[in-house]
Amino acid sequence: MKGRVAITPRSMSEAGHPALGLLSQSGYELVFPAPGRQPTEAELMASLPGCVGYLAGVEPVSRKVIEMSRDLRVISRNGVGIDNIDLDAARSRGIVVEKALGANTRGVAELAMALMMCGLRHVSWSDRVLGAGEWKRRKGREAFGRTLGIVGCGAIGRALAQMCLSIGMKVLGYDPVWKNDGSLGPYFRLVGLDELYAEAEIVSLHCPPGARPLVDAAAIDAMRPNVLLINTARAELIDGEALLAGLNSGKVAAFATDVYQTEPPMLNDLLRHENAIRTPHAGGLTEESVDRATRIAVENLLRVLEGHGSA
């Protein structure tokens, strides 16, 4: 046996995946710290020592965990987000951190679009009300001709832009790094964040978090009345108290989220709000996305462990 590899993403730790067979066939023993659920820090600390590889999900990977994992050579995420990993600790130990670039782009973009449609047409609210035996209706809004603001124009943001442009929407994008290359056509404009907030009727977040929430009271105040806010990126992007105040005042018409501070989340006043739309971090949970992410993550692990270096 060449060594042990820990597998923690729920999508593969519970039911397995054919791509994991590549690791076994290459001589690695697979370890599942918490099958079917997100492992705790204590479970990681109990399982990772002795592992040379770690196929990681969205669970926090702290300095404490990394420092105890003395044999660990590579952490391979089955997604693109690595802000859950203490990167300074990994670098100090010489541990390579890999991402499954592009694996869940389509799945997350399609979910963001689904959440947008759900918010515009009150699908979630209507389902709850009718399921409770009440016959009530809310007037919805059509997507055609409306302006979507995308904060973060990476692969997911651009995929969402293409889908929304194809149904006759106008799209504004904000990104401090990406430069508009014209590939999205004339109905897409790259603008400043202030202009995006002022003009967009729907705002969708597709960026990493910073030191403080991006959407705070000032940002919500700068947005248009009846704005629809969508977050399929990271929960830390939003000031929950400010958003709850925006929902209660009616400034924010609806809030749709696929991401949470902890999983499963505590159902606070924000998440219980009648105009909140919740999905259980399912953006990348499609058959296609899971297949791509698993395959890429396994390939990245083997590339490093077999001595072929980082991508």
Side-chain angles (χ1 to χ4, degrees), residues 53-296:
Y54 174 14
L55 202 164
V58 297
E59 67 277 357
V61 185
S62 66
R63 175 175 290 273
K64 192 174 179 181
V65 168
I66 289 172
E67 288 179 347
M68 286 196 65
S69 307
R70 300 190 178 278
D71 297 314
L72 195 61
R73 293 165 51 196
V74 54
I75 301 172
S76 183
R77 276 281 288 114
N78 72 327
V80 296
I82 55 174
D83 53 288
N84 60 311
I85 300 169
D86 190 322
L87 297 177
D88 289 336
R91 276 191 291 267
S92 70
R93 294 292 313 281
I95 297 170
V96 177
V97 178
E98 295 280 357
K99 312 178 202 179
L101 293 172
N104 63 358
T105 295
R106 190 74 190 182
V108 177
E110 288 187 2
L111 179 62
M113 189 169 187
L115 292 172
M116 179 187 75
M117 292 298 188
C118 185
L120 288 173
R121 297 306 303 270
H122 309 296
V123 174
S124 183
W125 177 88
S126 298
D127 176 67
R128 289 197 300 270
V129 169
L130 192 56
E134 299 182 68
W135 183 259
K136 293 181 179 179
R137 297 188 299 174
R138 283 181 174 179
K139 186 181 293 183
R141 293 181 280 175
E142 295 178 2
F144 180 84
R146 296 201 177 272
T147 301
L148 167 68
I150 296 176
V151 182
C153 298
I156 295 170
R158 294 199 301 273
L160 176 62
Q162 288 174 333
M163 286 187 275
C164 292
L165 288 165
S166 72
I167 61 171
M169 297 183 72
K170 302 168 188 174
V171 181
L172 304 176
Y174 167 77
D175 195 297
V177 177
W178 183 72
K179 305 300 180 185
N180 188 2
D181 58 8
S183 61
L184 293 174
Y187 293 100
F188 172 87
R189 288 192 295 124
L190 203 59
V191 299
L193 197 55
D194 290 343
E195 185 176 351
L196 185 147
Y197 285 158
E199 293 189 24
E201 298 162 277
I202 306 114
V203 175
S204 190
L205 305 179
H206 300 279
C207 57
R212 51 178 294 181
L214 179 70
V215 178
D216 55 13
I220 292 170
D221 186 60
M223 293 179 189
R224 290 181 57 157
N226 298 315
V227 66
L228 168 58
L229 180 62
I230 301 163
N231 187 13
T232 56
R234 287 291 186 270
E236 292 80 7
L237 289 166
I238 292 176
D239 180 329
E241 290 186 6
L243 178 55
L244 178 60
L247 284 166
N248 286 336
S249 71
K251 178 64 181 286
V252 179
F255 166 57
T257 186
D258 188 47
V259 289
Y260 308 91
Q261 295 279 359
T262 59
E263 297 184 1
M266 295 292 292
L267 290 180
N268 53 25
D269 290 343
L270 174 60
L271 295 179
R272 287 194 182 98
H273 199 281
E274 67 171 351
N275 293 326
I277 304 163
R278 306 157 297 269
T279 52
H281 205 153
L285 193 61
T286 67
E287 293 178 3
E288 297 84 357
S289 290
V290 170
D291 285 346
R292 285 190 295 265
T294 306
R295 184 179 66 254
I296 294 170

